[in-house]
């Protein structure tokens, strides 16, 4: 336990400028490299979210475009007319089949 405390105190005493256990890279450079990697990951995530939101906005605009609205209204009108025609046909058949 004393060795761990001494080691921690030694690391704090040099303010992060000590060398790593392999002696090839200062601790400060390792920390800044990992911070950069973390920033790169965050940037990639934000970029992905932005691309997703842009695609969502584009799709929403396509759905709400005037041309789409006109096409949907025409389709609803066609379906309503078809339904009314089927109802008239059914009423006519019921009238023919009903006992008089």
């Amino acid at each position: 336990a004393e060795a761990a405390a001494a080691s921690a105190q030694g690391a704090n005493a040099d303010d992060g400028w000590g060398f790593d256990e392999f002696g090839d890279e200062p601790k400060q450079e390792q920390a800044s490299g990992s911070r950069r990697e973390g920033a790169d990951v965050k940037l990639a995530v934000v970029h992905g979210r932005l691309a997703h939101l842009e695609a969502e906005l584009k799709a929403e605009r396509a759905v709400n475009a005037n041309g789409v609205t006109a096409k949907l209204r025409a389709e609803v009108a066609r379906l309503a007319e078809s339904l009314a025609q089927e109802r008239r046909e059914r009423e006519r058949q019921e009238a023919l089949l009903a006992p008089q």
Side-chain angles (χ1 to χ4, degrees):
E2 289 179 22
S7 173
Q9 185 179 14
N12 291 336
D14 66 1
D15 291 289
W17 289 101
F19 288 89
D20 65 348
E21 61 185 302
F22 300 109
D24 56 357
E25 190 174 334
K27 291 180 184 177
Q28 192 72 13
E29 289 179 21
Q30 286 179 347
S32 86
S34 66
R35 281 194 297 255
R36 174 156 171 84
E37 288 175 10
D40 288 346
V41 169
K42 287 179 183 179
L43 181 61
V45 169
V46 169
H47 184 63
R49 287 180 183 166
L50 177 63
H52 173 75
L53 291 173
E54 285 175 340
E56 188 176 314
L57 181 60
K58 183 179 178 183
E60 189 174 318
R61 285 180 178 164
V63 167
N64 294 327
N66 288 335
V68 172
T69 303
K71 287 179 183 179
L72 287 174
R73 288 182 186 191
E75 181 69 13
V76 168
R78 187 186 67 75
L79 290 172
E81 179 58 34
S82 176
L83 182 60
Q85 185 178 4
E86 288 178 14
R87 187 178 357 210
R88 287 190 298 268
E89 179 66 30
R90 188 191 74 226
E91 288 172 352
R92 189 176 43 211
Q93 288 176 356
E94 287 176 353
L96 291 173
L97 295 175
Q100 298 184 0

